[in-house]
Amino acid sequence: MSGIWGRLRDFASPPRIVREEFTMSRKMLGATTALVLAGTLPALADCPIKVGVLHSLSGTMAISETTLKDTMEMLVEQQNAAGGVLGCQLEAVVVDPASDWPLFAEKARELLTVHEVDVIFGNWTSVSRKSVLPVIEELNGLLFYPVQYEGEESSRNVFYTGAAPNQQAIPATDYFLEELGVEKFALLGTDYVYPRTTNNILESYLQHKGIPTEDIFVNYTPFGHSDWSKIVADVVALGADGKKVGVISTINGDANVGFYKELAAAGISADDIPVVAFSVGEEELAGLDTSNLVGHLAAWNYFQSADSEANDAWVAAWKARMGEERVTNDPMEAHYIGFNMWVNAATQAGSTEVDAVRAAMYGQEFPNLTGGTAVMLPNHHLAKPVLIGEIQADGQFDIISQTEEVPGDAWTDFLPESAVLKSDWQELGCGMFNTETNSCVQIKSNY
């Protein structure tokens, strides 16, 4: 693979532990023992500690988000069994924003003001996250967002544990160019901010790589779209001149079911026109007949098929709780990493207060499920590996490409207005710092 993985930046040193009673236990017993020990010490926070869960349990996004609600409940149960946090048990407070983007904002406000949660884990689509941002910034809440997204954002109140474009979209595009010899690109997405912004970045990147504009086909469809015959026919027609065509899919939710069914009905195999998806994982494939999808691809930072002891234990625990038929996926791992980092940061800070936890998050490290270590950077993004998986007949992925940890980049290098921007909340206290003018453009994420 070429050198587009991005430059490894200096990671922040782990923050100073501010409560004296935890210092000796961490030095002598290590971080894991300290977490268990914390449950036996006098409570240092109001009990119970409330963890908000903001995921759609109904509507078009329920196919993806219900599993994340189940994940958070399992993580809370596991932590309680280990002694809780700061001498308190945790309580998961679950709400259903019902795939309704304005309702996400209302439910976030409810979690912070009525239930008084200490932290929120939630959202899937970028439009739902954008709806929540003004609320959590106004009320100084803390959101852990677990899904791949378009970047071009940095909020002091959000930790982005999913992939930025340089950790998913750009590497997947490189794989098409370098490994599969794709010459024409169909960028198919659901009509909202994540696909549109990601595809803007990819169009610019493809042109940078020498792909002419006329060889890039872009199409957007609404949430829940079901009639894919005309679009699939247009994709096929793109290759009428004999050039290799590939599809980069940012289709979200249950619209994926119709898209892949139409591909199969049209007799299109991965050898003919490969598809790499950014929002299709094991959970989405569980509802599909995958026999005709073998060979198509997805790009994530985790697959259930990852070969590591930590992943084996995670998958076993999940299936023991949820049933043998239930699968794991990338956003679940993002919640797994984010939740454990939050636990460790709260323990180090001796508090679940948002500002104290935020300060303790920088430089947090936690083993990911693919065998490496996730690191939280000053730009509120993780350093994580990039994986490309090939769909198998059983609905799992054969991992055919994996990188070392790649630092997430809040602002892409492939849009001129963003290339000059930097996010650094630890030293600069700014998520939108202009490196040419050496000035902070703005603090609030209302761009």
Side-chain angles (χ1 to χ4, degrees):
M1 304 294 283
S2 68
I4 53 76
W5 302 116
R7 301 174 303 276
L8 285 173
R9 301 195 177 115
D10 292 336
F11 298 147
S13 299
R16 181 175 60 87
I17 301 172
V18 296
R19 290 194 60 92
E20 185 176 347
E21 55 264 52
F22 286 101
T23 302
M24 187 58 67
S25 64
R26 282 184 58 86
K27 286 182 179 179
M28 297 179 62
L29 302 175
T32 302
T33 306
L35 287 174
V36 176
L37 181 61
T40 69
L41 294 174
L44 300 174
D46 293 335
C47 298
I49 294 172
K50 295 184 178 180
V51 176
V53 181
L54 184 65
H55 282 300
S56 295
L57 309 180
S58 56
T60 187
M61 291 308 301
I63 185 176
S64 298
E65 292 195 67
T66 300
T67 287
L68 298 187
K69 182 271 295 184
D70 296 337
T71 300
M72 288 308 305
E73 289 180 329
M74 184 173 98
L75 287 167
V76 166
E77 279 190 18
Q78 290 177 336
Q79 189 61 38
N80 283 338
V85 176
L86 300 176
C88 291
Q89 290 286 282
L90 305 179
E91 176 187 339
V93 181
V94 177
V95 295
D96 178 16
S99 305
D100 180 335
W101 319 136
L103 188 57
F104 268 88
E106 294 178 28
K107 290 297 183 180
R109 187 174 294 277
E110 175 187 327
L111 286 172
L112 291 169
T113 61
V114 177
H115 300 289
E116 297 183 328
V117 301
D118 295 89
V119 62
I120 297 173
F121 292 83
N123 297 86
W124 182 290
T125 66
S126 285
V127 66
S128 71
R129 187 191 70 258
K130 295 285 189 184
S131 176
V132 165
L133 278 175
V135 175
I136 61 171
E137 290 183 342
E138 172 198 342
L139 300 174
N140 196 31
L142 191 62
L143 171 67
F144 283 77
Y145 176 64
V147 185
Q148 90 295 340
Y149 85 122
E150 69 282 359
E152 308 308 289
E153 176 184 301
S154 184
S155 171
R156 73 190 292 267
N157 295 89
V158 180
F159 285 98
Y160 305 82
T161 55
N166 73 307
Q167 296 173 303
Q168 185 189 39
I170 297 295
T173 301
D174 269 0
Y175 189 86
F176 264 28
L177 288 166
E178 298 169 10
E179 301 296 330
L180 301 185
V182 172
E183 300 169 281
K184 288 189 171 185
F185 288 78
L187 310 183
L188 307 183
T190 301
D191 192 6
Y192 74 105
V193 61
Y194 160 61
R196 284 190 173 273
T197 306
T198 298
N199 287 338
N200 284 343
I201 293 170
L202 290 182
E203 281 189 85
S204 176
Y205 183 69
L206 286 169
Q207 291 163 11
H208 173 76
K209 300 292 282 188
I211 303 297
T213 302
E214 59 268 23
D215 288 346
I216 305 172
F217 168 66
V218 183
N219 185 269
Y220 298 101
T221 48
F223 280 94
H225 186 73
S226 59
D227 184 4
W228 290 95
S229 57
K230 174 65 166 58
I231 297 168
V232 168
D234 288 341
V235 172
V236 173
L238 189 63
D241 59 359
K243 288 186 176 181
K244 180 77 170 179
V245 176
V247 174
I248 295 181
S249 170
T250 48
I251 300 165
N252 263 256
D254 53 12
N256 279 293
V257 176
F259 171 61
Y260 282 104
K261 282 185 176 179
E262 185 61 35
L263 282 178
I268 297 171
S269 71
D271 291 332
D272 303 322
I273 300 177
V275 177
V276 62
F278 301 160
S279 297
V280 172
E282 293 86 347
E283 184 72 13
E284 289 74 21
L285 290 181
L288 297 174
D289 175 6
T290 59
S291 58
N292 292 312
L293 301 181
V294 172
H296 288 300
L297 309 173
W300 293 98
N301 306 117
Y302 164 87
F303 290 108
Q304 179 177 304
S305 54
D307 184 14
S308 75
E309 291 185 8
N311 189 47
D312 290 345
W314 170 252
V315 173
W318 175 252
K319 290 183 177 293
R321 175 187 171 88
M322 304 303 301
E324 189 61 31
E325 75 285 354
R326 291 292 293 273
V327 295
T328 61
N329 63 19
D330 178 282
M332 289 174 62
E333 191 215 23
H335 265 341
Y336 165 85
I337 293 169
F339 176 80
N340 281 287
M341 283 187 171
W342 173 79
V343 167
N344 289 351
T347 301
Q348 287 185 201
S351 171
T352 59
E353 194 273 331
V354 168
D355 291 335
V357 171
R358 181 191 300 111
M361 279 293 296
Y362 304 125
Q364 283 289 339
E365 298 184 5
F366 197 81
N368 62 44
L369 295 174
T370 59
T373 300
V375 182
M376 183 57 71
L377 307 176
N379 65 5
H380 286 205
H381 291 68
L382 290 176
K384 299 202 295 182
V386 182
L387 282 64
I388 295 177
E390 186 177 281
I391 297 174
Q392 304 296 291
D394 62 357
Q396 289 296 310
F397 291 86
D398 178 25
I399 299 171
I400 58 177
S401 176
Q402 180 168 344
T403 73
E404 298 297 324
E405 284 78 3
V406 176
D409 194 355
W411 303 100
T412 184
D413 292 334
F414 299 103
L415 296 177
E417 63 274 20
S418 297
V420 299
L421 298 178
K422 174 182 180 179
S423 170
D424 184 340
W425 290 105
Q426 184 179 29
E427 298 296 333
L428 300 177
C430 181
M432 196 178 190
F433 186 85
N434 189 308
T435 58
E436 290 186 341
T437 63
N438 285 319
S439 62
C440 186
V441 179
Q442 60 186 73
I443 298 294
K444 297 288 186 180
S445 60
N446 60 341
Y447 27 78

